[in-house]
Short mmCIF file of all heavy atoms in Angstrom, two decimals:
data_model
loop_
_atom_site.label_atom_id
_atom_site.label_comp_id
_atom_site.label_asym_id
_atom_site.label_seq_id
_atom_site.Cartn_x
_atom_site.Cartn_y
_atom_site.Cartn_z
N LEU A 498 11.56 15.89 7.91
CA LEU A 498 12.37 16.60 6.94
C LEU A 498 12.46 18.09 7.24
O LEU A 498 13.54 18.69 7.16
CB LEU A 498 11.83 16.37 5.53
CG LEU A 498 11.97 14.93 5.02
CD1 LEU A 498 11.21 14.78 3.69
CD2 LEU A 498 13.44 14.58 4.79
N THR A 499 11.33 18.71 7.55
CA THR A 499 11.36 20.16 7.72
C THR A 499 12.11 20.57 8.99
O THR A 499 12.57 21.70 9.08
CB THR A 499 9.91 20.73 7.80
OG1 THR A 499 9.19 20.02 8.80
CG2 THR A 499 9.21 20.60 6.48
N LYS A 516 11.01 22.40 2.62
CA LYS A 516 9.82 23.17 2.93
C LYS A 516 8.57 22.35 2.56
O LYS A 516 8.51 21.77 1.45
CB LYS A 516 9.82 24.49 2.17
CG LYS A 516 10.94 25.44 2.59
CD LYS A 516 10.86 26.76 1.85
CE LYS A 516 11.95 27.72 2.29
NZ LYS A 516 11.89 29.02 1.58
N ALA A 517 7.62 22.28 3.47
CA ALA A 517 6.39 21.52 3.21
C ALA A 517 5.57 22.19 2.15
O ALA A 517 5.50 23.42 2.06
CB ALA A 517 5.60 21.39 4.52
N LEU A 518 4.93 21.36 1.32
CA LEU A 518 4.09 21.87 0.23
C LEU A 518 2.75 21.17 0.24
O LEU A 518 2.69 19.92 0.34
CB LEU A 518 4.79 21.65 -1.12
CG LEU A 518 4.01 22.03 -2.38
CD1 LEU A 518 3.77 23.53 -2.41
CD2 LEU A 518 4.75 21.60 -3.64
N GLY A 519 1.68 21.92 0.17
CA GLY A 519 0.34 21.30 0.10
C GLY A 519 -0.26 21.01 1.47
O GLY A 519 0.29 21.41 2.51
N GLN A 520 -1.38 20.29 1.45
CA GLN A 520 -2.18 20.04 2.65
C GLN A 520 -2.06 18.62 3.17
O GLN A 520 -2.80 18.22 4.06
CB GLN A 520 -3.64 20.36 2.36
CG GLN A 520 -3.90 21.76 1.83
CD GLN A 520 -3.47 22.82 2.79
OE1 GLN A 520 -3.73 22.73 4.00
NE2 GLN A 520 -2.81 23.86 2.29
N ASN A 521 -1.14 17.83 2.63
CA ASN A 521 -1.12 16.41 2.97
C ASN A 521 -0.20 16.07 4.14
O ASN A 521 0.21 14.92 4.30
CB ASN A 521 -0.67 15.60 1.76
CG ASN A 521 -1.69 15.59 0.66
OD1 ASN A 521 -2.87 15.90 0.92
ND2 ASN A 521 -1.30 15.28 -0.56
N HIS A 522 0.13 17.05 4.97
CA HIS A 522 1.04 16.80 6.08
C HIS A 522 0.25 16.50 7.36
O HIS A 522 -0.85 16.99 7.54
CB HIS A 522 1.96 18.02 6.28
CG HIS A 522 2.80 18.27 5.07
ND1 HIS A 522 4.06 17.70 4.89
CD2 HIS A 522 2.58 19.00 3.96
CE1 HIS A 522 4.55 18.08 3.74
NE2 HIS A 522 3.68 18.87 3.15
N ARG A 526 0.01 10.14 5.66
CA ARG A 526 0.47 9.72 4.34
C ARG A 526 1.67 8.74 4.47
O ARG A 526 2.60 9.02 5.22
CB ARG A 526 0.90 10.92 3.49
CG ARG A 526 -0.19 11.99 3.40
CD ARG A 526 -1.32 11.58 2.48
NE ARG A 526 -2.48 12.45 2.65
CZ ARG A 526 -3.48 12.51 1.81
NH1 ARG A 526 -3.48 11.77 0.73
NH2 ARG A 526 -4.52 13.30 2.04
N ALA A 528 3.70 7.80 2.03
CA ALA A 528 4.71 7.98 1.00
C ALA A 528 5.08 9.45 0.92
O ALA A 528 4.24 10.33 1.15
CB ALA A 528 4.21 7.49 -0.35
N VAL A 529 6.34 9.70 0.61
CA VAL A 529 6.89 11.07 0.64
C VAL A 529 7.39 11.42 -0.77
O VAL A 529 7.90 10.56 -1.49
CB VAL A 529 8.04 11.17 1.65
CG1 VAL A 529 8.72 12.53 1.60
CG2 VAL A 529 7.55 10.85 3.04
N CYS A 530 7.24 12.69 -1.15
CA CYS A 530 7.78 13.18 -2.40
C CYS A 530 8.64 14.41 -2.13
O CYS A 530 8.22 15.34 -1.46
CB CYS A 530 6.66 13.55 -3.40
SG CYS A 530 7.25 14.14 -4.98
N ILE A 531 9.89 14.38 -2.65
CA ILE A 531 10.79 15.50 -2.53
C ILE A 531 11.03 16.04 -3.94
O ILE A 531 11.47 15.30 -4.84
CB ILE A 531 12.13 15.09 -1.90
CG1 ILE A 531 11.88 14.57 -0.48
CG2 ILE A 531 13.11 16.26 -1.87
CD1 ILE A 531 13.13 13.98 0.17
N MET A 532 10.72 17.33 -4.14
CA MET A 532 10.82 17.95 -5.46
C MET A 532 11.94 18.99 -5.41
O MET A 532 12.00 19.80 -4.50
CB MET A 532 9.49 18.60 -5.83
CG MET A 532 8.39 17.56 -6.00
SD MET A 532 6.72 18.25 -5.90
CE MET A 532 6.62 18.66 -4.18
N TRP A 547 5.59 23.33 -8.82
CA TRP A 547 5.06 22.09 -8.23
C TRP A 547 3.70 22.28 -7.58
O TRP A 547 3.06 21.28 -7.22
CB TRP A 547 6.02 21.60 -7.15
CG TRP A 547 7.48 21.63 -7.57
CD1 TRP A 547 8.42 22.51 -7.17
CD2 TRP A 547 8.12 20.73 -8.49
NE1 TRP A 547 9.64 22.23 -7.77
CE2 TRP A 547 9.48 21.16 -8.59
CE3 TRP A 547 7.71 19.63 -9.23
CZ2 TRP A 547 10.42 20.50 -9.39
CZ3 TRP A 547 8.63 18.97 -10.05
CH2 TRP A 547 9.95 19.42 -10.12
N GLU A 548 3.21 23.50 -7.43
CA GLU A 548 2.01 23.77 -6.64
C GLU A 548 0.75 23.11 -7.19
O GLU A 548 -0.08 22.62 -6.44
CB GLU A 548 1.80 25.27 -6.52
CG GLU A 548 2.73 25.96 -5.52
CD GLU A 548 2.40 27.42 -5.34
OE1 GLU A 548 2.18 28.10 -6.38
OE2 GLU A 548 2.38 27.90 -4.19
N GLY A 549 0.54 23.14 -8.49
CA GLY A 549 -0.72 22.69 -9.06
C GLY A 549 -0.88 21.20 -9.19
O GLY A 549 -1.98 20.73 -9.50
N TRP A 550 0.17 20.44 -8.95
CA TRP A 550 0.10 18.98 -9.16
C TRP A 550 -0.74 18.35 -8.05
O TRP A 550 -0.45 18.51 -6.87
CB TRP A 550 1.51 18.42 -9.18
CG TRP A 550 1.56 16.94 -9.41
CD1 TRP A 550 0.80 16.21 -10.26
CD2 TRP A 550 2.45 16.02 -8.75
NE1 TRP A 550 1.14 14.86 -10.19
CE2 TRP A 550 2.15 14.73 -9.27
CE3 TRP A 550 3.44 16.14 -7.79
CZ2 TRP A 550 2.83 13.58 -8.85
CZ3 TRP A 550 4.13 15.00 -7.37
CH2 TRP A 550 3.82 13.75 -7.90
N LYS A 551 -1.76 17.58 -8.46
CA LYS A 551 -2.64 16.90 -7.51
C LYS A 551 -2.12 15.51 -7.22
O LYS A 551 -1.99 14.68 -8.14
CB LYS A 551 -4.07 16.83 -8.05
CG LYS A 551 -4.67 18.17 -8.45
CD LYS A 551 -4.80 19.10 -7.24
CE LYS A 551 -5.46 20.42 -7.64
NZ LYS A 551 -5.52 21.37 -6.52
N THR A 552 -1.80 15.24 -5.96
CA THR A 552 -1.27 13.93 -5.60
C THR A 552 -1.55 13.68 -4.13
O THR A 552 -1.79 14.61 -3.34
CB THR A 552 0.24 13.85 -5.86
OG1 THR A 552 0.73 12.56 -5.44
CG2 THR A 552 0.99 14.93 -5.10
N ASN A 553 -1.57 12.40 -3.75
CA ASN A 553 -1.77 12.03 -2.36
C ASN A 553 -0.46 11.98 -1.56
O ASN A 553 -0.48 11.68 -0.37
CB ASN A 553 -2.46 10.66 -2.27
CG ASN A 553 -3.93 10.75 -2.62
OD1 ASN A 553 -4.60 11.74 -2.31
ND2 ASN A 553 -4.47 9.72 -3.26
N LEU A 554 0.65 12.24 -2.21
CA LEU A 554 1.93 12.15 -1.52
C LEU A 554 2.12 13.29 -0.53
O LEU A 554 1.57 14.40 -0.71
CB LEU A 554 3.06 12.18 -2.55
CG LEU A 554 3.10 11.07 -3.58
CD1 LEU A 554 4.13 11.38 -4.65
CD2 LEU A 554 3.41 9.73 -2.91
N GLU A 555 2.89 13.04 0.52
CA GLU A 555 3.30 14.10 1.42
C GLU A 555 4.49 14.80 0.76
O GLU A 555 5.56 14.23 0.62
CB GLU A 555 3.69 13.49 2.77
CG GLU A 555 4.08 14.52 3.82
CD GLU A 555 4.37 13.88 5.15
OE1 GLU A 555 3.41 13.31 5.75
OE2 GLU A 555 5.52 13.91 5.60
N ARG A 556 4.29 16.06 0.37
CA ARG A 556 5.25 16.71 -0.52
C ARG A 556 6.15 17.72 0.19
O ARG A 556 5.70 18.44 1.08
CB ARG A 556 4.52 17.42 -1.66
CG ARG A 556 3.81 16.47 -2.63
CD ARG A 556 3.13 17.25 -3.72
NE ARG A 556 2.02 18.08 -3.17
CZ ARG A 556 1.47 19.10 -3.83
NH1 ARG A 556 1.92 19.42 -5.04
NH2 ARG A 556 0.46 19.76 -3.30
N TYR A 557 7.39 17.77 -0.27
CA TYR A 557 8.35 18.76 0.20
C TYR A 557 9.12 19.28 -1.00
O TYR A 557 9.37 18.54 -1.96
CB TYR A 557 9.36 18.15 1.19
CG TYR A 557 8.72 17.58 2.44
CD1 TYR A 557 8.27 16.25 2.46
CD2 TYR A 557 8.60 18.35 3.58
CE1 TYR A 557 7.69 15.75 3.60
CE2 TYR A 557 8.01 17.85 4.75
CZ TYR A 557 7.57 16.52 4.75
OH TYR A 557 6.97 16.01 5.85
N ILE A 558 9.51 20.54 -0.93
CA ILE A 558 10.46 21.06 -1.89
C ILE A 558 11.82 21.21 -1.19
O ILE A 558 11.85 21.46 0.02
CB ILE A 558 10.04 22.42 -2.51
CG1 ILE A 558 9.93 23.49 -1.42
CG2 ILE A 558 8.75 22.27 -3.27
CD1 ILE A 558 9.82 24.90 -1.97
N LEU A 762 3.84 16.41 -15.22
CA LEU A 762 3.68 15.46 -14.14
C LEU A 762 2.37 14.65 -14.31
O LEU A 762 2.33 13.45 -14.03
CB LEU A 762 3.69 16.15 -12.78
CG LEU A 762 5.02 16.78 -12.38
CD1 LEU A 762 4.87 17.55 -11.07
CD2 LEU A 762 6.11 15.70 -12.25
#
Side-chain angles (χ1 to χ4, degrees):
L498 292 171
T499 54
K516 296 183 178 180
L518 176 64
Q520 304 299 317
N521 291 342
H522 299 270
R526 307 286 166 164
V529 175
C530 181
I531 298 173
M532 295 161 289
W547 315 105
E548 283 184 316
W550 181 41
K551 305 298 183 183
T552 179
N553 285 326
L554 299 170
E555 183 176 295
R556 293 181 294 164
Y557 299 88
I558 62 167
L762 292 176

